[in-house]
Amino acid sequence: MIQYSLVIPIFNEQETLPELTQRLEKVLSQLHESYEIIFVNDGSQDASMQVIKELSSKNKCIKAIEFSRNFGLQTAYSAGIEHAAGQAVIAMDGDLQDPPELIPKLIAKWKEGYDVVYTVKTKRQENVLKRFAFASFYRILRSISAVEMPLDAGSFSIMSRRVVDAFKSLPEKNRLVSGIRAWIGYKQTGIPFERDARFHGEPRQTLWKLMRMATDGLFSFSTVPIRIATFLGLMASGLALVSILAVLILKLFTNLIPVLGWASLMIAVMFFGGLQLFFIGILGEYICLIFDEVKNRPLYLIKETVGFDPPK
């Protein structure tokens, strides 16, 4: 029986993999318990898969899943979690921003009886814009979500087997691992840590990808945006009704004939036109989520696996 499964998405990390594996093996060997390391190669364009195969030939506890193309970080996490056999599953990034040396602390908390032990970032080695974007995202999501979302808690965490089984039972296509983990519930706690800089190269997550992940999280875990649109729409309709009544009263009961100027007309048209387009955009986001679900395509396609038993 495997005690710990480590799930690590990889995208163009050939330079990082040897150092990452060395540090992981050093930490895990001190635990004196069985483990597996599952690297999920998310469509890397470098020699990451070849490096993983070489590492696996030296350590049979190292396994790999290779996607047919790049499916994204959250999908890679999901694939690794679905294939994990451990009694506890540890999810972490593959760029060494999540320090392997923190794993024993996660395990110690898990052994105290917590089903989920997540990490809380107290400091990030990233530029000011990204730090601001991350901080804003977590606080907005927490404020509008129906689920209690811990602040600054990313994917780096340990989950018990019952949480993993619950995770695997959820069929949704648009995934935010930290959000799903919070939604599942059970007994959870956090551990603070300072997130390191990348070991090698530039960050793989562009600002656009981070914004896409943020909107997926917002629309997947909250109906507040569509309710705000409804509320503002009702307010706009109310204001329009009041304006209509005011014009009728002036027309029917006074000698004042309001002259509708070009400037005020253009302002009204542009304001309400922009408001309608904004509402349509919010509605479109939810329709896109529905569209992704009803297509019922597989979450990912596997090109190759390494270290797993062949299917019976």
Side-chain angles (χ1 to χ4, degrees):
M1 178 184 295
I2 297 174
Q3 187 70 359
Y4 306 115
S5 295
L6 278 74
V7 174
I8 307 175
I10 295 296
F11 181 71
N12 295 341
E13 299 289 358
Q14 65 177 25
E15 304 292 340
T16 306
L17 278 164
E19 175 71 15
L20 171 62
T21 304
Q22 181 182 2
R23 288 170 61 177
L24 284 172
E25 289 176 335
K26 181 179 179 181
V27 170
L28 295 170
S29 64
Q30 296 172 355
L31 299 175
H32 304 293
E33 295 180 274
S34 58
Y35 67 89
E36 63 178 358
I37 301 174
I38 302 175
F39 290 117
V40 184
N41 184 26
D42 186 23
S44 295
Q45 298 173 347
D46 63 359
S48 292
M49 194 62 188
Q50 287 77 7
V51 174
I52 294 172
K53 288 180 179 180
E54 292 174 5
L55 294 169
S56 179
S57 67
K58 299 174 184 177
N59 184 349
K60 297 302 180 183
C61 295
I62 296 177
K63 305 176 181 180
I65 300 168
E66 183 177 19
F67 285 166
S68 62
R69 63 170 178 83
N70 180 268
F71 282 93
L73 178 64
Q74 303 301 314
T75 301
Y77 271 122
S78 298
I81 291 170
E82 288 177 2
H83 286 77
Q87 295 304 299
V89 175
I90 300 167
M92 61 185 296
D93 288 350
D95 53 12
L96 282 176
Q97 288 189 281
D98 296 336
E101 293 73 20
L102 193 61
I103 290 175
K105 290 186 178 180
L106 295 175
I107 292 175
K109 276 293 183 182
W110 169 69
K111 287 185 174 180
E112 290 179 13
Y114 290 98
D115 288 286
V116 174
V117 184
Y118 53 82
T119 55
V120 179
K121 306 174 189 68
T122 59
K123 187 177 180 181
R124 289 176 175 271
Q125 301 295 331
E126 292 160 332
N127 62 55
V128 175
L129 183 59
K130 277 193 175 181
R131 292 202 301 269
F132 175 76
F134 273 115
S136 301
F137 163 66
Y138 283 116
R139 281 150 185 79
I140 292 172
L141 184 60
R142 181 186 177 95
S143 64
I144 70 174
S145 175
V147 181
E148 186 69 20
M149 297 284 189
L151 290 176
D152 303 314
S155 300
F156 189 19
S157 61
I158 185 171
M159 296 174 282
S160 68
R161 172 45 57 179
R162 65 173 175 176
V163 171
V164 170
D165 290 340
F167 187 99
K168 291 164 62 176
S169 70
L170 300 176
E172 60 201 71
K173 301 295 188 295
N174 289 278
R175 289 170 171 255
L176 180 65
V177 171
S178 58
I180 295 175
R181 189 183 62 207
W183 182 90
I184 290 172
Y186 295 116
K187 191 177 180 181
Q188 304 195 11
T189 190
I191 292 179
F193 85 112
E194 291 188 7
R195 188 167 169 85
D196 296 334
R198 281 185 58 85
F199 177 77
H200 182 271
E202 297 296 323
R204 310 300 184 194
Q205 291 286 81
T206 63
L207 190 59
W208 169 250
K209 288 182 178 179
L210 293 175
M211 290 177 61
R212 184 67 260 178
M213 185 183 73
T215 55
D216 285 346
L218 291 174
F219 290 108
S220 294
F221 290 94
S222 177
T223 57
V224 170
I226 199 71
R227 290 178 178 175
I228 291 175
T230 302
F231 176 73
L232 291 177
L234 289 172
M235 285 187 60
S237 298
L239 289 173
L241 180 60
V242 170
S243 299
I244 291 171
L245 290 174
V247 170
L248 287 175
I249 290 172
L250 291 173
K251 176 69 175 178
L252 297 175
F253 301 104
T254 71
N255 294 324
L256 298 175
I257 301 176
V259 178
L260 299 179
W262 180 86
S264 59
L265 178 62
M266 286 297 101
I267 290 172
V269 169
M270 288 188 291
F271 173 74
F272 288 110
L275 203 62
Q276 288 174 341
L277 290 174
F278 177 67
F279 295 163
I280 291 171
I282 291 178
L283 188 60
E285 289 290 337
Y286 285 103
I287 292 173
C288 286
L289 294 178
I290 296 170
F291 182 57
D292 283 341
E293 297 296 332
V294 299
K295 283 187 295 188
N296 202 29
R297 291 176 180 170
L299 193 60
Y300 54 85
L301 294 175
I302 295 177
K303 178 181 178 181
E304 182 184 6
T305 62
V306 174
F308 291 94
D309 294 331
K312 298 180 180 179

